[in-house]
Amino acid sequence: QVQLAESGGGLVQAGDSLRLSCAASGRTFSSNGMGWFRQAPGKEREFVASISVSGNMRASAESVRGRFTISRDNAKNTVYLQMNSLKPEDTAIYYCAAGLSQLGTSVADFGSWGQGIQVTVSS
């Protein structure tokens, strides 16, 4: 089991940038694909981005493609989500997740979840 803790959220204005970090504990981090999801009030949790174990494969949702970038540092047991050109519709709780497969894109592909962190984008 991997324990995950997100940081870096907050309140920003439209057009600003934020970088989320997810620190993982446990010896299996370097063997897990990792992902970011988000959940807005009244909506289901949705896929944002994922990255393979080595970092050479990535996937992202169409809504964030070109604005958000996922990366990882296996030496630091950390995965990042760089968010640029933020929009009010990006407002949500963001969750880090450790995957059950190489490059998941659905909730069912991930087995361990962080507590989530709030990102609020004002217009």
Side-chain angles (χ1 to χ4, degrees), residues 46-93:
E46 66 173 2
F47 169 73
V48 174
S50 60
I51 188 167
S52 62
V53 169
S54 65
N56 63 342
M57 293 190 294
R58 294 178 174 86
S60 61
E62 186 173 352
S63 59
V64 305
R65 203 163 296 155
R67 299 188 298 123
F68 291 11
T69 302
I70 188 171
S71 61
R72 66 188 294 163
D73 185 336
N74 287 343
K76 295 182 178 180
N77 281 8
T78 302
V79 62
Y80 305 96
L81 184 68
Q82 178 66 44
M83 306 185 293
N84 298 329
S85 302
L86 282 160
K87 304 176 181 179
E89 50 263 44
D90 294 319
T91 295
I93 297 174

mmCIF file of all heavy atoms in Angstrom, residues 46-93:
data_model
loop_
_atom_site.group_PDB
_atom_site.id
_atom_site.type_symbol
_atom_site.label_atom_id
_atom_site.label_comp_id
_atom_site.label_asym_id
_atom_site.label_seq_id
_atom_site.Cartn_x
_atom_site.Cartn_y
_atom_site.Cartn_z
ATOM 1 N N GLU A 46 -13.241 12.903 -11.643
ATOM 2 C CA GLU A 46 -12.848 12.752 -13.033
ATOM 3 C C GLU A 46 -11.332 12.710 -13.196
ATOM 4 O O GLU A 46 -10.592 13.318 -12.421
ATOM 5 C CB GLU A 46 -13.421 13.895 -13.892
ATOM 6 C CG GLU A 46 -12.877 15.262 -13.578
ATOM 7 C CD GLU A 46 -13.351 16.318 -14.571
ATOM 8 O OE1 GLU A 46 -14.128 16.000 -15.492
ATOM 9 O OE2 GLU A 46 -12.905 17.483 -14.436
ATOM 10 N N PHE A 47 -10.920 11.985 -14.195
ATOM 11 C CA PHE A 47 -9.514 11.831 -14.530
ATOM 12 C C PHE A 47 -8.941 13.160 -15.022
ATOM 13 O O PHE A 47 -9.587 13.883 -15.798
ATOM 14 C CB PHE A 47 -9.367 10.760 -15.614
ATOM 15 C CG PHE A 47 -8.008 10.669 -16.233
ATOM 16 C CD1 PHE A 47 -6.956 10.122 -15.523
ATOM 17 C CD2 PHE A 47 -7.791 11.121 -17.515
ATOM 18 C CE1 PHE A 47 -5.701 10.018 -16.093
ATOM 19 C CE2 PHE A 47 -6.548 11.033 -18.100
ATOM 20 C CZ PHE A 47 -5.498 10.471 -17.392
ATOM 21 N N VAL A 48 -7.709 13.457 -14.554
ATOM 22 C CA VAL A 48 -7.003 14.651 -15.022
ATOM 23 C C VAL A 48 -5.768 14.242 -15.838
ATOM 24 O O VAL A 48 -5.616 14.628 -16.993
ATOM 25 C CB VAL A 48 -6.592 15.544 -13.845
ATOM 26 C CG1 VAL A 48 -5.740 16.703 -14.335
ATOM 27 C CG2 VAL A 48 -7.826 16.048 -13.095
ATOM 28 N N ALA A 49 -4.878 13.473 -15.216
ATOM 29 C CA ALA A 49 -3.647 13.081 -15.903
ATOM 30 C C ALA A 49 -3.043 11.868 -15.208
ATOM 31 O O ALA A 49 -3.293 11.627 -14.028
ATOM 32 C CB ALA A 49 -2.651 14.230 -15.921
ATOM 33 N N SER A 50 -2.229 11.128 -15.956
ATOM 34 C CA SER A 50 -1.519 9.990 -15.379
ATOM 35 C C SER A 50 -0.149 9.862 -16.031
ATOM 36 O O SER A 50 0.098 10.407 -17.124
ATOM 37 C CB SER A 50 -2.311 8.693 -15.529
ATOM 38 O OG SER A 50 -2.543 8.397 -16.897
ATOM 39 N N ILE A 51 0.723 9.140 -15.332
ATOM 40 C CA ILE A 51 2.091 8.980 -15.804
ATOM 41 C C ILE A 51 2.567 7.573 -15.465
ATOM 42 O O ILE A 51 2.229 7.022 -14.420
ATOM 43 C CB ILE A 51 3.001 10.065 -15.173
ATOM 44 C CG1 ILE A 51 4.401 10.046 -15.785
ATOM 45 C CG2 ILE A 51 3.060 9.917 -13.652
ATOM 46 C CD1 ILE A 51 5.228 11.288 -15.418
ATOM 47 N N SER A 52 3.359 7.000 -16.362
ATOM 48 C CA SER A 52 3.834 5.647 -16.162
ATOM 49 C C SER A 52 4.962 5.597 -15.127
ATOM 50 O O SER A 52 5.453 6.636 -14.680
ATOM 51 C CB SER A 52 4.338 5.079 -17.497
ATOM 52 O OG SER A 52 5.429 5.842 -17.974
ATOM 53 N N VAL A 53 5.370 4.408 -14.792
ATOM 54 C CA VAL A 53 6.405 4.211 -13.776
ATOM 55 C C VAL A 53 7.684 4.956 -14.141
ATOM 56 O O VAL A 53 8.263 5.673 -13.310
ATOM 57 C CB VAL A 53 6.691 2.715 -13.598
ATOM 58 C CG1 VAL A 53 7.942 2.503 -12.744
ATOM 59 C CG2 VAL A 53 5.505 2.006 -12.972
ATOM 60 N N SER A 54 8.118 4.840 -15.356
ATOM 61 C CA SER A 54 9.370 5.475 -15.773
ATOM 62 C C SER A 54 9.199 6.940 -16.139
ATOM 63 O O SER A 54 10.177 7.676 -16.259
ATOM 64 C CB SER A 54 9.951 4.729 -16.972
ATOM 65 O OG SER A 54 9.086 4.847 -18.084
ATOM 66 N N GLY A 55 7.964 7.353 -16.335
ATOM 67 C CA GLY A 55 7.695 8.732 -16.718
ATOM 68 C C GLY A 55 7.715 8.985 -18.208
ATOM 69 O O GLY A 55 7.528 10.115 -18.647
ATOM 70 N N ASN A 56 7.920 7.937 -19.005
ATOM 71 C CA ASN A 56 8.020 8.158 -20.449
ATOM 72 C C ASN A 56 6.665 8.056 -21.166
ATOM 73 O O ASN A 56 6.584 8.301 -22.368
ATOM 74 C CB ASN A 56 9.003 7.167 -21.072
ATOM 75 C CG ASN A 56 8.548 5.729 -20.926
ATOM 76 O OD1 ASN A 56 7.698 5.425 -20.106
ATOM 77 N ND2 ASN A 56 9.121 4.839 -21.721
ATOM 78 N N MET A 57 5.627 7.750 -20.426
ATOM 79 C CA MET A 57 4.276 7.743 -21.006
ATOM 80 C C MET A 57 3.361 8.577 -20.133
ATOM 81 O O MET A 57 3.403 8.481 -18.902
ATOM 82 C CB MET A 57 3.734 6.317 -21.112
ATOM 83 C CG MET A 57 4.469 5.448 -22.095
ATOM 84 S SD MET A 57 3.615 3.895 -22.368
ATOM 85 C CE MET A 57 3.784 3.126 -20.750
ATOM 86 N N ARG A 58 2.537 9.382 -20.768
ATOM 87 C CA ARG A 58 1.599 10.248 -20.065
ATOM 88 C C ARG A 58 0.252 10.201 -20.756
ATOM 89 O O ARG A 58 0.165 9.991 -21.973
ATOM 90 C CB ARG A 58 2.097 11.696 -20.028
ATOM 91 C CG ARG A 58 3.353 11.934 -19.219
ATOM 92 C CD ARG A 58 3.768 13.400 -19.306
ATOM 93 N NE ARG A 58 4.887 13.724 -18.435
ATOM 94 C CZ ARG A 58 6.154 13.578 -18.752
ATOM 95 N NH1 ARG A 58 6.476 13.068 -19.943
ATOM 96 N NH2 ARG A 58 7.110 13.903 -17.918
ATOM 97 N N ALA A 59 -0.773 10.461 -19.989
ATOM 98 C CA ALA A 59 -2.113 10.610 -20.534
ATOM 99 C C ALA A 59 -2.761 11.786 -19.819
ATOM 100 O O ALA A 59 -2.430 12.087 -18.672
ATOM 101 C CB ALA A 59 -2.935 9.344 -20.323
ATOM 102 N N SER A 60 -3.672 12.469 -20.502
ATOM 103 C CA SER A 60 -4.354 13.597 -19.868
ATOM 104 C C SER A 60 -5.746 13.745 -20.450
ATOM 105 O O SER A 60 -6.022 13.330 -21.582
ATOM 106 C CB SER A 60 -3.567 14.888 -20.051
ATOM 107 O OG SER A 60 -3.423 15.198 -21.418
ATOM 108 N N ALA A 61 -6.603 14.353 -19.670
ATOM 109 C CA ALA A 61 -7.955 14.638 -20.127
ATOM 110 C C ALA A 61 -7.926 15.769 -21.148
ATOM 111 O O ALA A 61 -7.101 16.676 -21.066
ATOM 112 C CB ALA A 61 -8.833 15.022 -18.937
ATOM 113 N N GLU A 62 -8.860 15.711 -22.054
ATOM 114 C CA GLU A 62 -8.916 16.730 -23.102
ATOM 115 C C GLU A 62 -9.103 18.131 -22.518
ATOM 116 O O GLU A 62 -8.570 19.106 -23.041
ATOM 117 C CB GLU A 62 -10.049 16.413 -24.079
ATOM 118 C CG GLU A 62 -10.115 17.337 -25.289
ATOM 119 C CD GLU A 62 -11.140 16.897 -26.312
ATOM 120 O OE1 GLU A 62 -11.697 15.793 -26.158
ATOM 121 O OE2 GLU A 62 -11.381 17.655 -27.260
ATOM 122 N N SER A 63 -9.810 18.223 -21.423
ATOM 123 C CA SER A 63 -10.117 19.527 -20.819
ATOM 124 C C SER A 63 -8.886 20.229 -20.270
ATOM 125 O O SER A 63 -8.905 21.444 -20.062
ATOM 126 C CB SER A 63 -11.154 19.364 -19.714
ATOM 127 O OG SER A 63 -10.665 18.490 -18.716
ATOM 128 N N VAL A 64 -7.815 19.481 -20.022
ATOM 129 C CA VAL A 64 -6.613 20.093 -19.439
ATOM 130 C C VAL A 64 -5.407 20.000 -20.364
ATOM 131 O O VAL A 64 -4.337 20.542 -20.054
ATOM 132 C CB VAL A 64 -6.262 19.454 -18.083
ATOM 133 C CG1 VAL A 64 -7.455 19.515 -17.140
ATOM 134 C CG2 VAL A 64 -5.772 18.016 -18.243
ATOM 135 N N ARG A 65 -5.564 19.306 -21.475
ATOM 136 C CA ARG A 65 -4.435 19.095 -22.380
ATOM 137 C C ARG A 65 -3.888 20.432 -22.891
ATOM 138 O O ARG A 65 -4.634 21.320 -23.295
ATOM 139 C CB ARG A 65 -4.885 18.218 -23.546
ATOM 140 C CG ARG A 65 -3.759 17.475 -24.243
ATOM 141 C CD ARG A 65 -4.347 16.350 -25.065
ATOM 142 N NE ARG A 65 -4.999 15.349 -24.218
ATOM 143 C CZ ARG A 65 -5.984 14.551 -24.640
ATOM 144 N NH1 ARG A 65 -6.436 14.651 -25.870
ATOM 145 N NH2 ARG A 65 -6.508 13.672 -23.801
ATOM 146 N N GLY A 66 -2.562 20.565 -22.814
ATOM 147 C CA GLY A 66 -1.924 21.811 -23.216
ATOM 148 C C GLY A 66 -1.792 22.821 -22.086
ATOM 149 O O GLY A 66 -1.075 23.815 -22.236
ATOM 150 N N ARG A 67 -2.477 22.574 -20.968
ATOM 151 C CA ARG A 67 -2.400 23.489 -19.822
ATOM 152 C C ARG A 67 -1.774 22.815 -18.602
ATOM 153 O O ARG A 67 -1.055 23.464 -17.848
ATOM 154 C CB ARG A 67 -3.794 24.001 -19.453
ATOM 155 C CG ARG A 67 -4.481 24.779 -20.562
ATOM 156 C CD ARG A 67 -5.771 25.423 -20.049
ATOM 157 N NE ARG A 67 -6.753 24.432 -19.594
ATOM 158 C CZ ARG A 67 -7.280 24.410 -18.373
ATOM 159 N NH1 ARG A 67 -6.910 25.314 -17.462
ATOM 160 N NH2 ARG A 67 -8.172 23.490 -18.034
ATOM 161 N N PHE A 68 -2.082 21.546 -18.393
ATOM 162 C CA PHE A 68 -1.587 20.816 -17.230
ATOM 163 C C PHE A 68 -0.524 19.813 -17.666
ATOM 164 O O PHE A 68 -0.666 19.175 -18.720
ATOM 165 C CB PHE A 68 -2.710 20.049 -16.556
ATOM 166 C CG PHE A 68 -3.758 20.890 -15.873
ATOM 167 C CD1 PHE A 68 -3.827 22.258 -16.040
ATOM 168 C CD2 PHE A 68 -4.685 20.285 -15.029
ATOM 169 C CE1 PHE A 68 -4.794 23.020 -15.406
ATOM 170 C CE2 PHE A 68 -5.656 21.029 -14.388
ATOM 171 C CZ PHE A 68 -5.712 22.399 -14.596
ATOM 172 N N THR A 69 0.491 19.650 -16.829
ATOM 173 C CA THR A 69 1.556 18.676 -17.107
ATOM 174 C C THR A 69 1.835 17.847 -15.868
ATOM 175 O O THR A 69 2.081 18.414 -14.799
ATOM 176 C CB THR A 69 2.840 19.373 -17.556
ATOM 177 O OG1 THR A 69 2.591 20.166 -18.720
ATOM 178 C CG2 THR A 69 3.921 18.345 -17.878
ATOM 179 N N ILE A 70 1.817 16.548 -16.018
ATOM 180 C CA ILE A 70 2.149 15.649 -14.918
ATOM 181 C C ILE A 70 3.607 15.217 -15.067
ATOM 182 O O ILE A 70 4.103 15.008 -16.181
ATOM 183 C CB ILE A 70 1.207 14.424 -14.888
ATOM 184 C CG1 ILE A 70 1.433 13.602 -13.628
ATOM 185 C CG2 ILE A 70 1.342 13.587 -16.156
ATOM 186 C CD1 ILE A 70 0.398 12.491 -13.423
ATOM 187 N N SER A 71 4.288 15.107 -13.925
ATOM 188 C CA SER A 71 5.668 14.629 -13.924
ATOM 189 C C SER A 71 5.920 13.894 -12.614
ATOM 190 O O SER A 71 5.107 13.955 -11.699
ATOM 191 C CB SER A 71 6.658 15.788 -14.097
ATOM 192 O OG SER A 71 6.544 16.712 -13.035
ATOM 193 N N ARG A 72 7.045 13.206 -12.557
ATOM 194 C CA ARG A 72 7.360 12.485 -11.335
ATOM 195 C C ARG A 72 8.865 12.468 -11.124
ATOM 196 O O ARG A 72 9.648 12.536 -12.079
ATOM 197 C CB ARG A 72 6.798 11.066 -11.374
ATOM 198 C CG ARG A 72 7.426 10.158 -12.409
ATOM 199 C CD ARG A 72 6.667 8.834 -12.491
ATOM 200 N NE ARG A 72 6.786 8.043 -11.265
ATOM 201 C CZ ARG A 72 5.969 7.034 -10.949
ATOM 202 N NH1 ARG A 72 4.987 6.681 -11.765
ATOM 203 N NH2 ARG A 72 6.160 6.358 -9.822
ATOM 204 N N ASP A 73 9.237 12.363 -9.857
ATOM 205 C CA ASP A 73 10.637 12.219 -9.469
ATOM 206 C C ASP A 73 10.707 10.989 -8.571
ATOM 207 O O ASP A 73 10.364 11.064 -7.383
ATOM 208 C CB ASP A 73 11.110 13.478 -8.738
ATOM 209 C CG ASP A 73 12.589 13.448 -8.412
ATOM 210 O OD1 ASP A 73 13.176 12.344 -8.325
ATOM 211 O OD2 ASP A 73 13.168 14.521 -8.223
ATOM 212 N N ASN A 74 11.128 9.886 -9.125
ATOM 213 C CA ASN A 74 11.142 8.643 -8.353
ATOM 214 C C ASN A 74 12.158 8.675 -7.218
ATOM 215 O O ASN A 74 11.977 7.997 -6.200
ATOM 216 C CB ASN A 74 11.413 7.456 -9.273
ATOM 217 C CG ASN A 74 10.215 7.123 -10.148
ATOM 218 O OD1 ASN A 74 9.094 7.560 -9.876
ATOM 219 N ND2 ASN A 74 10.436 6.374 -11.213
ATOM 220 N N ALA A 75 13.201 9.475 -7.364
ATOM 221 C CA ALA A 75 14.194 9.591 -6.289
ATOM 222 C C ALA A 75 13.600 10.287 -5.070
ATOM 223 O O ALA A 75 14.031 10.052 -3.945
ATOM 224 C CB ALA A 75 15.420 10.344 -6.780
ATOM 225 N N LYS A 76 12.603 11.145 -5.308
ATOM 226 C CA LYS A 76 11.962 11.875 -4.216
ATOM 227 C C LYS A 76 10.593 11.309 -3.868
ATOM 228 O O LYS A 76 9.887 11.869 -3.022
ATOM 229 C CB LYS A 76 11.818 13.350 -4.589
ATOM 230 C CG LYS A 76 13.142 14.084 -4.766
ATOM 231 C CD LYS A 76 12.908 15.555 -5.084
ATOM 232 C CE LYS A 76 14.237 16.293 -5.211
ATOM 233 N NZ LYS A 76 14.031 17.733 -5.523
ATOM 234 N N ASN A 77 10.198 10.222 -4.522
ATOM 235 C CA ASN A 77 8.878 9.629 -4.271
ATOM 236 C C ASN A 77 7.770 10.669 -4.395
ATOM 237 O O ASN A 77 6.857 10.726 -3.555
ATOM 238 C CB ASN A 77 8.830 8.965 -2.881
ATOM 239 C CG ASN A 77 9.497 7.613 -2.866
ATOM 240 O OD1 ASN A 77 10.122 7.205 -3.841
ATOM 241 N ND2 ASN A 77 9.381 6.909 -1.759
ATOM 242 N N THR A 78 7.849 11.487 -5.430
ATOM 243 C CA THR A 78 6.917 12.591 -5.575
ATOM 244 C C THR A 78 6.403 12.678 -7.017
ATOM 245 O O THR A 78 7.182 12.492 -7.961
ATOM 246 C CB THR A 78 7.572 13.926 -5.178
ATOM 247 O OG1 THR A 78 8.034 13.839 -3.834
ATOM 248 C CG2 THR A 78 6.570 15.074 -5.265
ATOM 249 N N VAL A 79 5.124 12.966 -7.142
ATOM 250 C CA VAL A 79 4.531 13.234 -8.448
ATOM 251 C C VAL A 79 3.970 14.654 -8.419
ATOM 252 O O VAL A 79 3.514 15.125 -7.363
ATOM 253 C CB VAL A 79 3.449 12.186 -8.787
ATOM 254 C CG1 VAL A 79 2.308 12.214 -7.799
ATOM 255 C CG2 VAL A 79 2.940 12.374 -10.204
ATOM 256 N N TYR A 80 4.036 15.320 -9.539
ATOM 257 C CA TYR A 80 3.650 16.724 -9.622
ATOM 258 C C TYR A 80 2.551 16.920 -10.668
ATOM 259 O O TYR A 80 2.428 16.144 -11.606
ATOM 260 C CB TYR A 80 4.845 17.586 -10.009
ATOM 261 C CG TYR A 80 6.038 17.435 -9.112
ATOM 262 C CD1 TYR A 80 7.082 16.574 -9.451
ATOM 263 C CD2 TYR A 80 6.140 18.144 -7.916
ATOM 264 C CE1 TYR A 80 8.195 16.424 -8.645
ATOM 265 C CE2 TYR A 80 7.239 18.007 -7.096
ATOM 266 C CZ TYR A 80 8.263 17.145 -7.465
ATOM 267 O OH TYR A 80 9.348 17.000 -6.644
ATOM 268 N N LEU A 81 1.797 17.991 -10.486
ATOM 269 C CA LEU A 81 0.858 18.430 -11.513
ATOM 270 C C LEU A 81 1.042 19.932 -11.669
ATOM 271 O O LEU A 81 0.645 20.708 -10.793
ATOM 272 C CB LEU A 81 -0.589 18.107 -11.130
ATOM 273 C CG LEU A 81 -1.617 18.448 -12.215
ATOM 274 C CD1 LEU A 81 -1.435 17.515 -13.423
ATOM 275 C CD2 LEU A 81 -3.044 18.331 -11.668
ATOM 276 N N GLN A 82 1.678 20.323 -12.761
ATOM 277 C CA GLN A 82 1.841 21.729 -13.082
ATOM 278 C C GLN A 82 0.606 22.200 -13.819
ATOM 279 O O GLN A 82 0.264 21.658 -14.878
ATOM 280 C CB GLN A 82 3.089 21.942 -13.952
ATOM 281 C CG GLN A 82 3.306 23.380 -14.377
ATOM 282 C CD GLN A 82 3.618 24.299 -13.205
ATOM 283 O OE1 GLN A 82 4.405 23.944 -12.331
ATOM 284 N NE2 GLN A 82 3.006 25.479 -13.186
ATOM 285 N N MET A 83 -0.072 23.196 -13.263
ATOM 286 C CA MET A 83 -1.318 23.692 -13.837
ATOM 287 C C MET A 83 -1.139 25.140 -14.269
ATOM 288 O O MET A 83 -0.898 26.011 -13.429
ATOM 289 C CB MET A 83 -2.457 23.574 -12.818
ATOM 290 C CG MET A 83 -2.628 22.161 -12.256
ATOM 291 S SD MET A 83 -4.053 21.995 -11.170
ATOM 292 C CE MET A 83 -3.533 23.020 -9.792
ATOM 293 N N ASN A 84 -1.235 25.378 -15.552
ATOM 294 C CA ASN A 84 -1.096 26.721 -16.107
ATOM 295 C C ASN A 84 -2.412 27.183 -16.711
ATOM 296 O O ASN A 84 -3.310 26.381 -16.980
ATOM 297 C CB ASN A 84 -0.014 26.728 -17.193
ATOM 298 C CG ASN A 84 1.356 26.348 -16.659
ATOM 299 O OD1 ASN A 84 1.688 26.613 -15.507
ATOM 300 N ND2 ASN A 84 2.162 25.730 -17.507
ATOM 301 N N SER A 85 -2.521 28.477 -16.909
ATOM 302 C CA SER A 85 -3.722 29.065 -17.523
ATOM 303 C C SER A 85 -4.986 28.540 -16.854
ATOM 304 O O SER A 85 -5.933 28.097 -17.523
ATOM 305 C CB SER A 85 -3.745 28.758 -19.021
ATOM 306 O OG SER A 85 -2.597 29.257 -19.662
ATOM 307 N N LEU A 86 -5.020 28.606 -15.546
ATOM 308 C CA LEU A 86 -6.148 28.052 -14.806
ATOM 309 C C LEU A 86 -7.446 28.799 -15.114
ATOM 310 O O LEU A 86 -7.448 30.017 -15.355
ATOM 311 C CB LEU A 86 -5.860 28.091 -13.309
ATOM 312 C CG LEU A 86 -4.926 26.966 -12.842
ATOM 313 C CD1 LEU A 86 -4.293 27.319 -11.497
ATOM 314 C CD2 LEU A 86 -5.680 25.653 -12.736
ATOM 315 N N LYS A 87 -8.537 28.040 -15.108
ATOM 316 C CA LYS A 87 -9.863 28.576 -15.393
ATOM 317 C C LYS A 87 -10.772 28.318 -14.184
ATOM 318 O O LYS A 87 -10.531 27.378 -13.414
ATOM 319 C CB LYS A 87 -10.455 27.865 -16.613
ATOM 320 C CG LYS A 87 -9.597 27.944 -17.856
ATOM 321 C CD LYS A 87 -10.210 27.123 -18.983
ATOM 322 C CE LYS A 87 -9.356 27.162 -20.243
ATOM 323 N NZ LYS A 87 -9.946 26.350 -21.338
ATOM 324 N N PRO A 88 -11.827 29.101 -14.029
ATOM 325 C CA PRO A 88 -12.761 28.846 -12.921
ATOM 326 C C PRO A 88 -13.296 27.414 -12.930
ATOM 327 O O PRO A 88 -13.531 26.835 -11.860
ATOM 328 C CB PRO A 88 -13.868 29.870 -13.171
ATOM 329 C CG PRO A 88 -13.162 31.002 -13.851
ATOM 330 C CD PRO A 88 -12.147 30.349 -14.742
ATOM 331 N N GLU A 89 -13.475 26.826 -14.089
ATOM 332 C CA GLU A 89 -13.997 25.459 -14.162
ATOM 333 C C GLU A 89 -12.978 24.411 -13.711
ATOM 334 O O GLU A 89 -13.314 23.229 -13.604
ATOM 335 C CB GLU A 89 -14.486 25.131 -15.582
ATOM 336 C CG GLU A 89 -13.500 25.450 -16.682
ATOM 337 C CD GLU A 89 -13.766 26.790 -17.338
ATOM 338 O OE1 GLU A 89 -14.025 27.777 -16.603
ATOM 339 O OE2 GLU A 89 -13.683 26.854 -18.583
ATOM 340 N N ASP A 90 -11.745 24.821 -13.423
ATOM 341 C CA ASP A 90 -10.758 23.914 -12.843
ATOM 342 C C ASP A 90 -10.915 23.802 -11.327
ATOM 343 O O ASP A 90 -10.234 23.000 -10.684
ATOM 344 C CB ASP A 90 -9.336 24.387 -13.156
ATOM 345 C CG ASP A 90 -9.013 24.327 -14.639
ATOM 346 O OD1 ASP A 90 -9.412 23.342 -15.304
ATOM 347 O OD2 ASP A 90 -8.365 25.276 -15.140
ATOM 348 N N THR A 91 -11.790 24.610 -10.758
ATOM 349 C CA THR A 91 -12.027 24.575 -9.321
ATOM 350 C C THR A 91 -12.546 23.201 -8.908
ATOM 351 O O THR A 91 -13.539 22.709 -9.444
ATOM 352 C CB THR A 91 -13.041 25.658 -8.923
ATOM 353 O OG1 THR A 91 -12.462 26.947 -9.178
ATOM 354 C CG2 THR A 91 -13.411 25.545 -7.457
ATOM 355 N N ALA A 92 -11.852 22.573 -7.963
ATOM 356 C CA ALA A 92 -12.213 21.226 -7.514
ATOM 357 C C ALA A 92 -11.268 20.807 -6.398
ATOM 358 O O ALA A 92 -10.279 21.486 -6.112
ATOM 359 C CB ALA A 92 -12.110 20.227 -8.674
ATOM 360 N N ILE A 93 -11.589 19.687 -5.798
ATOM 361 C CA ILE A 93 -10.635 19.003 -4.928
ATOM 362 C C ILE A 93 -9.814 18.078 -5.825
ATOM 363 O O ILE A 93 -10.391 17.294 -6.600
ATOM 364 C CB ILE A 93 -11.343 18.214 -3.827
ATOM 365 C CG1 ILE A 93 -12.113 19.153 -2.910
ATOM 366 C CG2 ILE A 93 -10.321 17.413 -3.010
ATOM 367 C CD1 ILE A 93 -12.966 18.448 -1.879
#
